[in-house]
Amino acid sequence: MSSVIARTRFSVLDRSRTREGHTDAEALRDTVRLARELEALGYHRVWVSEHHGVPGVAGSAPTVLAAAVAGATRTIRVGTGGVMLPNHQPLVVAEQFGVLESLFPGRIDMGLGRSVGFTDGVRRALGRDKGDAADFADRLQELLGWFRGTSPTGVHARPAEGLTVPPFVLAMGEGADIAARVGLPMVIGDLRNREKMRRGIDHYREHFRPSPWAAEPYVVISGTVAVAATPEEARRLLVPEAWAMAYSRTHGTFPPLAPAERTEALTMTDKERGFFESGLAGHIAGTEEQVAHELETVLKETGAQEVLVTTSTYDRAALLDSYRGLARITGG
């Protein structure tokens, strides 16, 4: 194992992707089961996500799911990737993480994003609009203030006040600049656009201001990593998610994952095929040796301290085998 890989933390974001022929409840239980396996394999943290009204994702309430994951594990860090702050009142978010940290002290992470609902209908249902993302920096400062007891309202967030729950900013768009100005660790993706990712990391490091939450920049790079016995098997792991993305871009809805063999047998339109092939490109995928080489390259390019793996696929057994292979590479 290379020295750059050895000093890097490896973590997992599981989005509780739904699968054809399986229920939402199964997807959520799959996430909890996977977390136990990841803990045994030595991964640093496991995060869950927030999506609303998406047929392909069961993870709609990340703090609730994080509680289930933390309750089913003992040592692995548990958090959100992320809570979409424009969708929520900061006081309520602080209270939720205060409860989590009180129940599972020293294990909870607070990953925060600035996205609003995926569609106009979801945004209406949440009582939000696209412009609410512009208030992210203010909402973030308010949220952090609840933990430090500095709210001008005179209200105190119970049990959050006085607790330390490490915050992370999911750096999409302006997120890198906000993370730097506030002085927080940053999660940035994706691995398919290395040049854009490097620009975001450089900007973050250049403009970082030390804070009570982080004395120096901390970079987490996120993306899909697939490990298998052959390059062809690794590519097959990517097929279900690539087709889901292609379908969403051509039909307007993000579907449950379909088996790779059925997707490969589909007759696609030229537009669908273009999006599908694009969705297969740029990820880190291959044998253990190939993935180790690619990881070493991207870690040297970015200087990241941590990798957050976001792989989704239909075959959960093959997904777990991929995480086992990655753990062998990383010494987990």
Side-chain angles (χ1 to χ4, degrees):
M1 178 173 48
S2 76
S3 59
V4 68
I5 291 177
R7 62 175 178 261
T8 303
R9 290 167 166 166
F10 285 82
S11 301
V12 172
L13 167 66
D14 192 76
R15 289 180 292 149
S16 306
R17 290 287 276 112
T18 55
R19 298 179 292 155
E20 285 189 2
H22 299 266
T23 64
D24 288 349
E26 285 179 272
L28 296 170
R29 288 194 289 267
D30 283 343
T31 293
V32 175
R33 274 194 294 268
L34 179 64
R36 291 197 196 100
E37 298 283 359
L38 295 171
E39 180 175 73
L41 290 169
Y43 282 88
H44 183 61
R45 60 181 111 239
V46 59
W47 281 4
V48 296
S49 63
E50 175 181 338
H51 295 273
H52 299 284
V54 180
V57 184
S60 57
T63 53
V64 177
L65 184 53
V69 170
T73 53
R74 293 188 308 106
T75 57
I76 196 168
R77 296 195 64 86
V78 178
T80 55
V83 165
M84 295 302 148
L85 203 47
N87 293 339
H88 309 281
Q89 290 298 329
L91 170 61
V92 176
V93 176
E95 290 170 337
Q96 290 172 345
F97 279 98
V99 169
L100 285 169
E101 177 63 21
S102 298
L103 293 172
F104 309 102
R107 293 179 56 205
I108 301 300
D109 301 320
M110 185 167 59
L112 305 162
R114 62 190 297 270
S115 296
V116 290
F118 188 61
T119 64
D120 289 339
V122 169
R123 288 190 288 272
R124 284 195 300 272
L126 291 169
R128 299 291 186 264
D129 59 48
K130 286 184 177 180
D132 286 315
D135 298 331
F136 177 73
D138 292 337
R139 286 175 173 267
L140 179 61
Q141 290 284 19
E142 181 185 342
L143 172 60
L144 299 178
W146 288 116
F147 287 92
R148 299 181 65 80
T150 58
S151 172
T153 64
V155 175
H156 297 274
R158 311 289 187 198
E161 188 174 310
L163 298 179
T164 298
V165 181
F168 296 74
V169 171
L170 276 60
M172 292 174 284
E174 296 176 30
D177 186 61
I178 293 170
R181 284 190 281 115
V182 181
L184 298 183
M186 176 185 73
V187 182
I188 188 166
D190 66 38
L191 295 169
R192 290 182 298 172
N193 193 336
R194 306 283 176 87
E195 184 56 39
K196 183 179 179 182
M197 186 171 68
R198 283 197 298 269
R199 287 198 304 270
I201 292 170
D202 290 345
H203 180 90
Y204 168 70
R205 289 197 175 111
E206 182 181 346
H207 294 88
F208 183 86
R209 300 174 185 172
S211 74
W213 303 93
E216 57 188 26
Y218 188 89
V219 174
V220 183
I221 56 174
S222 68
T224 295
V225 180
V227 184
T230 67
E232 293 74 24
E233 288 178 45
R235 180 187 180 279
R236 197 166 296 119
L237 281 168
L238 307 177
V239 165
E241 186 76 5
W243 172 244
M245 291 298 297
Y247 189 91
S248 72
R249 292 183 177 182
T250 52
H251 295 78
T253 185
F254 195 67
L257 296 173
E261 56 272 18
R262 192 165 66 72
T263 298
E264 290 173 326
L266 289 173
T267 300
M268 300 182 192
T269 66
D270 289 344
K271 190 174 183 181
E272 288 171 341
R273 177 66 63 181
F275 282 125
F276 175 66
E277 295 295 341
S278 175
L280 291 172
H283 304 292
I284 296 179
T287 63
E288 289 182 25
E289 183 178 359
Q290 290 170 323
V291 168
H293 174 74
E294 191 66 22
L295 279 173
E296 185 171 11
T297 298
V298 72
L299 288 169
K300 286 178 177 177
E301 288 176 354
T302 62
Q305 287 99 328
E306 187 169 342
V307 177
L308 181 69
V309 183
T310 63
T311 310
S312 296
T313 194
Y314 179 88
D315 187 338
R316 297 293 293 194
L319 179 63
L320 180 55
D321 283 343
S322 177
Y323 283 127
R324 289 187 180 119
L326 182 57
R328 286 191 291 271
I329 294 167
T330 62

